[in-house]
Amino acid sequence: TLAHQLAALDGFLKTRTYLVGHKLTVADAALWGQLAAAKNQMESLCRMHNLVHVQRYFDHMHAQTQFAAAFDAHSALAKREAEIKAKAAKRTAEIEKKKESGGVLKDTGGSFDIGLQDAKMGEVCTRFPPEPSGYLHIGHAKAALLNDYFAKEYKGKLIVRFDDTNPSKEKDEFVDNIMKDIKTLGINYACVTYTSDHFEDLIKMGKKLIE
């Protein structure tokens, strides 16, 4: 039992500060880890059986900065795990309760149904601006679908605008594949534009802002 093991350890530590030799070793780290994992039970047994040397040893190890930091991190993680398990158990109980009463569970999934403040029907214009320097990923798809949703919801329009401002990395291959992916996603766009078509206007605006 743990009580017998601690009693034996107490006798061993009677004339020792560390397990091996006269300095801290990996053996002490390993033993402290086991004691820390059962800290409450260990301290209760030490008080009950007067195991003063085990308690002294643990307190000395725990006073070491690296051990104290490890213990605090482990405690925080354990607390977080307990909170997650408690929330999961609560949710499971709610689901079971709903099933028993024949109720309908509320859908907690994601939704674009958030509305656009002050948006006017027929005047909303959104844009999807991919850079033609690679293939679309899931983040691009989400952005494209979100802008398509609002354009349709408010009977507006969506513009596909290729942000072709980095010619050293851009290829027609990427443009073609992006357009294919847009079609696959079922996105309806009003037109396709390129940032490079407006460089002169952008330069004029930039100079105007500086002046």
Side-chain angles (χ1 to χ4, degrees), residues 15-204:
T15 58
R16 293 176 174 84
T17 301
Y18 302 104
L19 284 182
V20 181
H22 302 287
K23 62 181 180 180
L24 191 67
T25 66
V26 68
D28 295 298
L31 176 58
W32 174 84
Q34 293 299 314
L35 294 175
K39 182 176 182 292
N40 292 337
Q41 185 181 6
M42 180 271 296
E43 291 185 332
S44 176
L45 289 171
C46 284
R47 289 193 296 271
M48 188 182 300
H49 300 288
N50 196 32
L51 305 177
V52 295
H53 303 297
V54 172
Q55 189 65 60
R56 168 185 55 78
Y57 173 83
F58 180 81
D59 291 342
H60 177 62
M61 293 297 109
H62 197 69
Q64 306 301 313
T65 303
Q66 60 271 42
F67 287 175
F71 183 81
D72 291 342
H74 180 271
S75 297
L77 180 60
K79 182 180 179 181
R80 178 58 180 160
E81 289 178 347
E83 291 174 350
I84 292 173
K85 287 181 180 179
K87 287 182 179 180
K90 182 179 179 181
R91 177 58 179 164
T92 299
E94 290 175 352
I95 292 173
E96 292 301 323
K97 187 176 181 180
K98 284 284 186 180
K99 287 181 179 179
E100 291 174 2
S101 61
V104 179
L105 293 176
K106 182 180 179 181
D107 181 12
T108 57
S111 171
F112 290 150
D113 189 18
I114 55 178
L116 293 178
Q117 186 175 354
D118 300 327
K120 295 181 180 180
M121 196 64 66
E123 296 183 12
V124 170
C125 180
T126 62
R127 60 93 180 96
F128 173 53
E131 181 181 346
S133 59
Y135 303 105
L136 296 188
H137 53 64
I138 191 68
H140 289 121
K142 180 180 179 181
L145 290 169
L146 180 63
N147 282 283
D148 181 59
Y149 169 82
F150 284 121
K152 291 177 179 176
E153 184 72 10
Y154 290 93
K155 294 180 173 55
K157 65 179 180 179
L158 165 67
I159 296 173
V160 175
R161 189 199 73 210
F162 282 102
D163 195 14
D164 56 339
T165 57
N166 193 1
S168 63
K169 293 184 178 181
E170 294 157 6
K171 297 180 182 178
D172 290 338
E173 173 192 351
F174 297 135
V175 174
D176 294 339
N177 275 279
I178 288 172
M179 293 305 297
K180 288 179 182 178
D181 289 339
I182 288 174
K183 183 178 179 181
T184 300
L185 290 169
I187 293 173
N188 298 316
Y189 52 89
C191 61
V192 177
T193 67
Y194 295 82
T195 301
S196 57
D197 293 338
H198 307 284
F199 275 168
E200 290 186 8
D201 292 333
L202 291 171
I203 291 173
K204 289 178 182 178

